[in-house]
Amino acid sequence: MSSVLRIALQKSGRLSEDSYQLFKECGIRFDYGTGKLKSISSNFPAEFLFLRDDDIPGYVEDGVADLGIVGENVAVETNRQVNTIHKLGFSKCRLSIAILRGNDWSGIQDLEGKNIATSYPNLLGTYLASQGVTANIHEISGSVEIAPSIGLAEAVCDIVSSGSTLLSNGLKEVETIFRSEAILIARPELPAEKQTLVDKLLFRIKAVQVAKNNKYIVLNAPNHALDQITSLLPGMKSPTVTPLATEGWSSVHSVLNENEFWENIEAIRAAGAEGILVIPIEKMIY
Ligand code: ATP
Ligand code: MG
């Protein structure tokens, strides 16, 4: 029997949409939604399981699933024997300690002997121990932010992205203890034929990620400024330059890293480039 990769994804939550989108961009089709708990891809040997995110590391450790997508926070908190094989760059957030807005803060030692509510007792416990602080950790599974205002704890340790939830509960962030993003995890010992499929999948994921970090750029340049402009556009090998019908002008095509984009685009314009088009790239393979 030919092998099929079993991939565990969050059923519905802050990882789901981007996880589904990632497979779509990798050209792997499957149905999801409307209460489905599993789905087989129509064009890649993969079966998808839709689960609560907390359960995914355990399923991957046990080999029920070969791969899974979870937040690093959950992977570390659950402390299962799984391998992190790739960082995915979405669902970025941080785990932070927050206290009531009106209270003073001079440092983590302020929490000595205090009560802290969290859904991440392991991550918090490890952090406090590394800081030499002993506190009482109260594990609660949700609505952690309410704990200080009802007198359950003096502080909370919870996931933050924009900070608006903290703000609306009268809290202020005082210490970040962990930074997280979505990761692809794998069971420890994959059979060779499944490893081949994982490699195939990783190749596609990397091509999609590289493409997202780059833009295709097309512009018109006066010939006298070509050297200067092409030196600002190194491209994958070197830029493509073709003459325009208008005498003395050329069309220049290249690929530019997103991070360098704004910085270089100004220098390129200053050198005399016109009609600059910036186009997203769907896949990029070196
Ligand atoms: P489930 O019902 O599957 O157990 P959940 O409520 O535990 O879901 P979500 O809130 O959907 O979890 O968050 C899933 C993961 O997304 C978190 O573990 C974290 O890594 C990341 N995350 C959480 N909050 C945010 C946020 N505000 N912005 C970005 N990423 C976040
Ligand atoms: Mg969860």
Short mmCIF file of all heavy atoms in Angstrom, two decimals, residues 209-264:
data_model
loop_
_atom_site.label_atom_id
_atom_site.label_comp_id
_atom_site.label_asym_id
_atom_site.label_seq_id
_atom_site.Cartn_x
_atom_site.Cartn_y
_atom_site.Cartn_z
N GLN A 209 7.10 30.32 0.72
CA GLN A 209 7.60 31.32 1.67
C GLN A 209 8.59 32.27 1.02
O GLN A 209 8.55 33.47 1.24
CB GLN A 209 8.27 30.64 2.87
CG GLN A 209 7.25 30.03 3.82
CD GLN A 209 7.90 29.40 5.04
OE1 GLN A 209 9.02 28.90 4.96
NE2 GLN A 209 7.20 29.40 6.15
N VAL A 210 9.51 31.73 0.21
CA VAL A 210 10.50 32.59 -0.46
C VAL A 210 9.77 33.56 -1.38
O VAL A 210 10.09 34.75 -1.42
CB VAL A 210 11.52 31.74 -1.26
CG1 VAL A 210 12.43 32.64 -2.07
CG2 VAL A 210 12.35 30.89 -0.31
N ALA A 211 8.77 33.06 -2.10
CA ALA A 211 8.02 33.92 -3.02
C ALA A 211 7.37 35.07 -2.26
O ALA A 211 7.36 36.20 -2.72
CB ALA A 211 6.97 33.10 -3.76
N LYS A 212 6.82 34.78 -1.08
CA LYS A 212 6.15 35.83 -0.29
C LYS A 212 7.12 36.92 0.12
O LYS A 212 6.73 38.06 0.32
CB LYS A 212 5.55 35.22 0.97
CG LYS A 212 4.23 34.57 0.70
CD LYS A 212 3.41 34.47 1.96
CE LYS A 212 2.06 33.91 1.59
NZ LYS A 212 1.59 32.89 2.49
N ASN A 213 8.40 36.55 0.30
CA ASN A 213 9.38 37.52 0.75
C ASN A 213 10.00 38.30 -0.39
O ASN A 213 10.90 39.09 -0.17
CB ASN A 213 10.50 36.82 1.54
CG ASN A 213 9.99 36.30 2.86
OD1 ASN A 213 9.07 36.88 3.43
ND2 ASN A 213 10.56 35.21 3.33
N ASN A 214 9.57 38.04 -1.61
CA ASN A 214 10.16 38.71 -2.76
C ASN A 214 9.09 39.30 -3.68
O ASN A 214 7.95 38.84 -3.69
CB ASN A 214 11.02 37.73 -3.56
CG ASN A 214 12.31 37.39 -2.84
OD1 ASN A 214 13.28 38.13 -2.92
ND2 ASN A 214 12.30 36.30 -2.11
N LYS A 215 9.49 40.30 -4.45
CA LYS A 215 8.58 40.91 -5.43
C LYS A 215 9.25 40.89 -6.79
O LYS A 215 10.48 41.01 -6.89
CB LYS A 215 8.30 42.38 -5.06
CG LYS A 215 7.61 42.56 -3.72
CD LYS A 215 6.14 42.25 -3.80
CE LYS A 215 5.47 42.38 -2.46
NZ LYS A 215 4.94 41.12 -1.94
N TYR A 216 8.42 40.76 -7.82
CA TYR A 216 8.92 40.87 -9.19
C TYR A 216 8.77 42.33 -9.58
O TYR A 216 7.72 42.93 -9.38
CB TYR A 216 8.09 39.98 -10.11
CG TYR A 216 8.67 39.82 -11.48
CD1 TYR A 216 9.79 39.02 -11.69
CD2 TYR A 216 8.11 40.48 -12.57
CE1 TYR A 216 10.33 38.87 -12.95
CE2 TYR A 216 8.66 40.34 -13.84
CZ TYR A 216 9.76 39.53 -14.01
OH TYR A 216 10.31 39.38 -15.26
N ILE A 217 9.83 42.91 -10.12
CA ILE A 217 9.78 44.34 -10.43
C ILE A 217 10.12 44.58 -11.90
O ILE A 217 11.03 43.96 -12.44
CB ILE A 217 10.69 45.13 -9.45
CG1 ILE A 217 10.75 46.60 -9.78
CG2 ILE A 217 12.10 44.59 -9.38
CD1 ILE A 217 11.25 47.46 -8.63
N VAL A 218 9.29 45.40 -12.52
CA VAL A 218 9.48 45.75 -13.93
C VAL A 218 9.51 47.26 -14.00
O VAL A 218 8.66 47.91 -13.39
CB VAL A 218 8.29 45.25 -14.79
CG1 VAL A 218 8.50 45.59 -16.26
CG2 VAL A 218 8.07 43.76 -14.60
N LEU A 219 10.48 47.82 -14.72
CA LEU A 219 10.53 49.28 -14.83
C LEU A 219 11.17 49.71 -16.14
O LEU A 219 11.82 48.90 -16.81
CB LEU A 219 11.30 49.88 -13.63
CG LEU A 219 12.73 49.38 -13.39
CD1 LEU A 219 13.74 50.14 -14.24
CD2 LEU A 219 13.08 49.57 -11.92
N ASN A 220 10.95 50.96 -16.49
CA ASN A 220 11.61 51.55 -17.65
C ASN A 220 12.76 52.43 -17.17
O ASN A 220 12.59 53.19 -16.21
CB ASN A 220 10.62 52.41 -18.45
CG ASN A 220 9.50 51.56 -19.01
OD1 ASN A 220 9.68 50.37 -19.30
ND2 ASN A 220 8.32 52.15 -19.14
N ALA A 221 13.91 52.28 -17.85
CA ALA A 221 15.08 53.04 -17.41
C ALA A 221 15.74 53.72 -18.60
O ALA A 221 15.84 53.13 -19.69
CB ALA A 221 16.08 52.09 -16.76
N PRO A 222 16.19 54.96 -18.41
CA PRO A 222 16.98 55.59 -19.48
C PRO A 222 18.32 54.85 -19.60
O PRO A 222 18.91 54.48 -18.58
CB PRO A 222 17.18 57.03 -18.98
CG PRO A 222 16.93 56.98 -17.50
CD PRO A 222 16.05 55.80 -17.22
N ASN A 223 18.78 54.61 -20.82
CA ASN A 223 19.98 53.77 -20.99
C ASN A 223 21.20 54.30 -20.23
O ASN A 223 22.00 53.52 -19.74
CB ASN A 223 20.31 53.65 -22.49
CG ASN A 223 19.30 52.74 -23.17
OD1 ASN A 223 18.55 52.02 -22.49
ND2 ASN A 223 19.29 52.77 -24.50
N HIS A 224 21.32 55.63 -20.12
CA HIS A 224 22.50 56.17 -19.44
C HIS A 224 22.54 55.80 -17.95
O HIS A 224 23.58 55.85 -17.32
CB HIS A 224 22.60 57.70 -19.63
CG HIS A 224 21.46 58.45 -18.98
ND1 HIS A 224 21.46 58.73 -17.65
CD2 HIS A 224 20.31 58.95 -19.50
CE1 HIS A 224 20.32 59.37 -17.35
NE2 HIS A 224 19.62 59.51 -18.47
N ALA A 225 21.34 55.45 -17.38
CA ALA A 225 21.30 55.12 -15.94
C ALA A 225 21.23 53.61 -15.70
O ALA A 225 21.07 53.17 -14.56
CB ALA A 225 20.11 55.81 -15.30
N LEU A 226 21.36 52.81 -16.77
CA LEU A 226 21.17 51.35 -16.63
C LEU A 226 22.13 50.72 -15.63
O LEU A 226 21.71 49.90 -14.81
CB LEU A 226 21.34 50.67 -17.99
CG LEU A 226 20.07 50.52 -18.83
CD1 LEU A 226 20.40 49.86 -20.16
CD2 LEU A 226 19.01 49.72 -18.09
N ASP A 227 23.40 51.11 -15.68
CA ASP A 227 24.38 50.49 -14.77
C ASP A 227 24.00 50.75 -13.32
O ASP A 227 23.99 49.84 -12.50
CB ASP A 227 25.79 51.05 -15.03
CG ASP A 227 26.41 50.42 -16.27
OD1 ASP A 227 25.81 49.44 -16.78
OD2 ASP A 227 27.46 50.92 -16.73
N GLN A 228 23.65 52.00 -13.06
CA GLN A 228 23.30 52.37 -11.69
C GLN A 228 22.04 51.63 -11.23
O GLN A 228 21.99 51.09 -10.12
CB GLN A 228 23.07 53.89 -11.64
CG GLN A 228 23.04 54.43 -10.23
CD GLN A 228 22.65 55.90 -10.21
OE1 GLN A 228 22.57 56.56 -11.26
NE2 GLN A 228 22.38 56.40 -9.03
N ILE A 229 21.04 51.58 -12.11
CA ILE A 229 19.78 50.94 -11.73
C ILE A 229 19.94 49.43 -11.57
O ILE A 229 19.47 48.84 -10.60
CB ILE A 229 18.67 51.30 -12.74
CG1 ILE A 229 18.30 52.79 -12.56
CG2 ILE A 229 17.43 50.42 -12.56
CD1 ILE A 229 17.35 53.34 -13.59
N THR A 230 20.64 48.80 -12.50
CA THR A 230 20.78 47.34 -12.40
C THR A 230 21.63 46.95 -11.17
O THR A 230 21.43 45.88 -10.59
CB THR A 230 21.38 46.70 -13.67
OG1 THR A 230 22.60 47.36 -13.97
CG2 THR A 230 20.43 46.80 -14.84
N SER A 231 22.53 47.84 -10.74
CA SER A 231 23.31 47.51 -9.54
C SER A 231 22.42 47.51 -8.29
O SER A 231 22.76 46.90 -7.28
CB SER A 231 24.48 48.49 -9.37
OG SER A 231 23.97 49.74 -8.95
N LEU A 232 21.28 48.19 -8.38
CA LEU A 232 20.34 48.19 -7.25
C LEU A 232 19.34 47.03 -7.33
O LEU A 232 18.50 46.85 -6.47
CB LEU A 232 19.55 49.51 -7.24
CG LEU A 232 20.37 50.77 -6.93
CD1 LEU A 232 19.59 52.02 -7.32
CD2 LEU A 232 20.73 50.81 -5.44
N LEU A 233 19.42 46.26 -8.41
CA LEU A 233 18.49 45.16 -8.67
C LEU A 233 19.25 43.88 -8.98
O LEU A 233 19.24 43.44 -10.13
CB LEU A 233 17.60 45.49 -9.87
CG LEU A 233 16.64 46.66 -9.77
CD1 LEU A 233 16.06 46.97 -11.15
CD2 LEU A 233 15.53 46.34 -8.80
N PRO A 234 19.90 43.28 -8.00
CA PRO A 234 20.73 42.12 -8.33
C PRO A 234 19.96 40.94 -8.93
O PRO A 234 20.48 40.23 -9.77
CB PRO A 234 21.38 41.75 -6.99
CG PRO A 234 20.61 42.47 -5.95
CD PRO A 234 19.92 43.62 -6.59
N GLY A 235 18.70 40.75 -8.52
CA GLY A 235 17.91 39.67 -9.11
C GLY A 235 18.40 38.30 -8.72
O GLY A 235 19.27 38.15 -7.86
N MET A 236 17.82 37.26 -9.30
CA MET A 236 18.20 35.90 -8.95
C MET A 236 19.56 35.56 -9.54
O MET A 236 20.36 34.91 -8.91
CB MET A 236 17.13 34.91 -9.42
CG MET A 236 15.87 35.03 -8.57
SD MET A 236 14.50 34.05 -9.20
CE MET A 236 14.88 32.46 -8.51
N LYS A 237 19.84 35.94 -10.77
CA LYS A 237 21.19 35.86 -11.34
C LYS A 237 21.62 37.28 -11.65
O LYS A 237 22.47 37.84 -11.01
CB LYS A 237 21.19 35.00 -12.61
CG LYS A 237 21.47 33.53 -12.34
CD LYS A 237 22.14 32.87 -13.54
CE LYS A 237 22.69 31.51 -13.20
NZ LYS A 237 21.61 30.57 -12.77
N SER A 238 20.98 37.88 -12.66
CA SER A 238 21.17 39.30 -12.91
C SER A 238 19.89 39.80 -13.58
O SER A 238 19.12 38.99 -14.10
CB SER A 238 22.39 39.52 -13.82
OG SER A 238 22.13 38.96 -15.08
N PRO A 239 19.62 41.10 -13.55
CA PRO A 239 18.36 41.57 -14.12
C PRO A 239 18.29 41.33 -15.64
O PRO A 239 19.32 41.24 -16.30
CB PRO A 239 18.37 43.07 -13.83
CG PRO A 239 19.49 43.32 -12.91
CD PRO A 239 20.45 42.19 -13.04
N THR A 240 17.06 41.21 -16.14
CA THR A 240 16.87 41.10 -17.58
C THR A 240 16.68 42.51 -18.13
O THR A 240 15.85 43.27 -17.61
CB THR A 240 15.57 40.30 -17.86
OG1 THR A 240 15.66 39.09 -17.12
CG2 THR A 240 15.40 40.02 -19.34
N VAL A 241 17.44 42.87 -19.16
CA VAL A 241 17.33 44.21 -19.76
C VAL A 241 17.00 44.04 -21.24
O VAL A 241 17.71 43.35 -21.96
CB VAL A 241 18.66 44.99 -19.60
CG1 VAL A 241 18.54 46.38 -20.23
CG2 VAL A 241 19.05 45.11 -18.12
N THR A 242 15.88 44.64 -21.67
CA THR A 242 15.53 44.58 -23.09
C THR A 242 15.22 45.99 -23.59
O THR A 242 14.66 46.80 -22.84
CB THR A 242 14.29 43.68 -23.35
OG1 THR A 242 13.26 44.07 -22.43
CG2 THR A 242 14.59 42.22 -23.14
N PRO A 243 15.59 46.30 -24.84
CA PRO A 243 15.36 47.66 -25.34
C PRO A 243 13.87 47.96 -25.52
O PRO A 243 13.09 47.07 -25.87
CB PRO A 243 16.08 47.69 -26.69
CG PRO A 243 16.36 46.27 -27.03
CD PRO A 243 16.27 45.44 -25.81
N LEU A 244 13.46 49.19 -25.24
CA LEU A 244 12.09 49.63 -25.52
C LEU A 244 12.03 50.18 -26.95
O LEU A 244 13.05 50.52 -27.53
CB LEU A 244 11.70 50.76 -24.55
CG LEU A 244 11.37 50.40 -23.12
CD1 LEU A 244 10.91 51.66 -22.37
CD2 LEU A 244 10.27 49.35 -23.06
N ALA A 245 10.80 50.29 -27.49
CA ALA A 245 10.64 50.87 -28.83
C ALA A 245 11.12 52.32 -28.84
O ALA A 245 11.62 52.82 -29.84
CB ALA A 245 9.18 50.77 -29.25
N THR A 246 10.97 53.00 -27.70
CA THR A 246 11.43 54.39 -27.59
C THR A 246 12.96 54.42 -27.50
O THR A 246 13.54 53.76 -26.63
CB THR A 246 10.84 55.04 -26.31
OG1 THR A 246 9.46 54.78 -26.29
CG2 THR A 246 11.11 56.53 -26.27
N GLU A 247 13.57 55.15 -28.38
CA GLU A 247 15.04 55.26 -28.45
C GLU A 247 15.63 55.71 -27.10
O GLU A 247 15.09 56.62 -26.46
CB GLU A 247 15.37 56.32 -29.54
CG GLU A 247 16.84 56.46 -29.88
CD GLU A 247 17.38 55.26 -30.66
OE1 GLU A 247 16.58 54.57 -31.36
OE2 GLU A 247 18.59 55.00 -30.57
N GLY A 248 16.70 55.06 -26.66
CA GLY A 248 17.40 55.50 -25.45
C GLY A 248 16.83 54.94 -24.15
O GLY A 248 17.29 55.28 -23.07
N TRP A 249 15.81 54.08 -24.24
CA TRP A 249 15.17 53.51 -23.04
C TRP A 249 15.18 51.98 -23.07
O TRP A 249 15.13 51.39 -24.14
CB TRP A 249 13.72 53.99 -22.92
CG TRP A 249 13.63 55.41 -22.43
CD1 TRP A 249 13.79 56.53 -23.19
CD2 TRP A 249 13.38 55.83 -21.09
NE1 TRP A 249 13.65 57.65 -22.40
CE2 TRP A 249 13.39 57.25 -21.11
CE3 TRP A 249 13.15 55.18 -19.88
CZ2 TRP A 249 13.19 58.01 -19.95
CZ3 TRP A 249 12.92 55.92 -18.74
CH2 TRP A 249 12.95 57.33 -18.77
N SER A 250 15.22 51.39 -21.88
CA SER A 250 15.16 49.93 -21.77
C SER A 250 14.13 49.53 -20.72
O SER A 250 13.81 50.31 -19.82
CB SER A 250 16.51 49.36 -21.36
OG SER A 250 17.48 49.68 -22.34
N SER A 251 13.68 48.29 -20.85
CA SER A 251 12.82 47.70 -19.83
C SER A 251 13.69 46.78 -18.97
O SER A 251 14.47 45.99 -19.50
CB SER A 251 11.71 46.91 -20.52
OG SER A 251 11.02 46.14 -19.57
N VAL A 252 13.56 46.91 -17.65
CA VAL A 252 14.39 46.12 -16.73
C VAL A 252 13.46 45.26 -15.87
O VAL A 252 12.47 45.76 -15.31
CB VAL A 252 15.24 47.05 -15.82
CG1 VAL A 252 16.08 46.23 -14.84
CG2 VAL A 252 16.12 47.97 -16.66
N HIS A 253 13.76 43.96 -15.79
CA HIS A 253 12.97 43.03 -14.97
C HIS A 253 13.87 42.42 -13.91
O HIS A 253 14.99 41.99 -14.22
CB HIS A 253 12.41 41.87 -15.80
CG HIS A 253 11.43 42.29 -16.84
ND1 HIS A 253 10.29 41.59 -17.11
CD2 HIS A 253 11.44 43.35 -17.70
CE1 HIS A 253 9.62 42.19 -18.08
NE2 HIS A 253 10.30 43.26 -18.46
N SER A 254 13.39 42.35 -12.67
CA SER A 254 14.20 41.70 -11.64
C SER A 254 13.34 41.27 -10.46
O SER A 254 12.14 41.49 -10.43
CB SER A 254 15.30 42.65 -11.17
OG SER A 254 16.23 41.94 -10.39
N VAL A 255 14.01 40.66 -9.48
CA VAL A 255 13.34 40.21 -8.26
C VAL A 255 14.00 40.93 -7.09
O VAL A 255 15.22 41.03 -7.03
CB VAL A 255 13.49 38.67 -8.10
CG1 VAL A 255 13.01 38.22 -6.73
CG2 VAL A 255 12.70 37.98 -9.19
N LEU A 256 13.17 41.45 -6.20
CA LEU A 256 13.69 42.25 -5.10
C LEU A 256 13.12 41.72 -3.79
O LEU A 256 11.93 41.46 -3.70
CB LEU A 256 13.26 43.70 -5.32
CG LEU A 256 14.00 44.81 -4.62
CD1 LEU A 256 15.48 44.78 -4.96
CD2 LEU A 256 13.42 46.16 -5.02
N ASN A 257 13.99 41.57 -2.81
CA ASN A 257 13.54 41.13 -1.50
C ASN A 257 12.64 42.18 -0.86
O ASN A 257 12.94 43.37 -0.89
CB ASN A 257 14.77 40.87 -0.61
CG ASN A 257 14.37 40.25 0.70
OD1 ASN A 257 13.85 40.93 1.58
ND2 ASN A 257 14.59 38.96 0.82
N GLU A 258 11.54 41.71 -0.31
CA GLU A 258 10.56 42.61 0.34
C GLU A 258 11.22 43.59 1.33
O GLU A 258 10.91 44.77 1.36
CB GLU A 258 9.52 41.74 1.07
CG GLU A 258 8.49 42.53 1.84
CD GLU A 258 7.23 42.79 1.03
OE1 GLU A 258 6.41 41.87 0.97
OE2 GLU A 258 7.09 43.89 0.47
N ASN A 259 12.17 43.06 2.12
CA ASN A 259 12.80 43.90 3.14
C ASN A 259 13.58 45.07 2.54
O ASN A 259 13.67 46.14 3.14
CB ASN A 259 13.75 43.08 4.01
CG ASN A 259 13.01 41.96 4.72
OD1 ASN A 259 11.84 42.12 5.05
ND2 ASN A 259 13.67 40.84 4.92
N GLU A 260 14.17 44.83 1.38
CA GLU A 260 14.99 45.89 0.76
C GLU A 260 14.15 46.77 -0.16
O GLU A 260 14.64 47.74 -0.72
CB GLU A 260 16.11 45.26 -0.07
CG GLU A 260 17.07 44.42 0.73
CD GLU A 260 17.89 43.50 -0.17
OE1 GLU A 260 17.80 43.63 -1.42
OE2 GLU A 260 18.59 42.65 0.37
N PHE A 261 12.88 46.38 -0.30
CA PHE A 261 12.05 46.99 -1.32
C PHE A 261 11.96 48.51 -1.22
O PHE A 261 12.36 49.23 -2.14
CB PHE A 261 10.65 46.36 -1.27
CG PHE A 261 9.67 47.01 -2.16
CD1 PHE A 261 9.81 46.91 -3.54
CD2 PHE A 261 8.62 47.76 -1.65
CE1 PHE A 261 8.89 47.51 -4.38
CE2 PHE A 261 7.71 48.37 -2.48
CZ PHE A 261 7.86 48.24 -3.85
N TRP A 262 11.49 49.03 -0.09
CA TRP A 262 11.25 50.47 0.00
C TRP A 262 12.55 51.27 -0.07
O TRP A 262 12.61 52.32 -0.71
CB TRP A 262 10.48 50.82 1.27
CG TRP A 262 9.07 50.36 1.18
CD1 TRP A 262 8.49 49.35 1.88
CD2 TRP A 262 8.06 50.84 0.28
NE1 TRP A 262 7.18 49.17 1.49
CE2 TRP A 262 6.89 50.08 0.51
CE3 TRP A 262 8.01 51.85 -0.69
CZ2 TRP A 262 5.71 50.29 -0.19
CZ3 TRP A 262 6.83 52.06 -1.38
CH2 TRP A 262 5.69 51.28 -1.13
N GLU A 263 13.56 50.74 0.57
CA GLU A 263 14.85 51.43 0.56
C GLU A 263 15.38 51.57 -0.87
O GLU A 263 15.78 52.64 -1.30
CB GLU A 263 15.83 50.59 1.37
CG GLU A 263 16.87 51.39 2.10
CD GLU A 263 17.63 50.46 3.02
OE1 GLU A 263 16.98 49.79 3.87
OE2 GLU A 263 18.85 50.39 2.85
N ASN A 264 15.35 50.47 -1.63
CA ASN A 264 15.90 50.49 -2.99
C ASN A 264 15.03 51.23 -3.98
O ASN A 264 15.52 51.83 -4.92
CB ASN A 264 16.14 49.07 -3.48
CG ASN A 264 17.41 48.49 -2.89
OD1 ASN A 264 18.03 49.13 -2.05
ND2 ASN A 264 17.80 47.32 -3.33
#
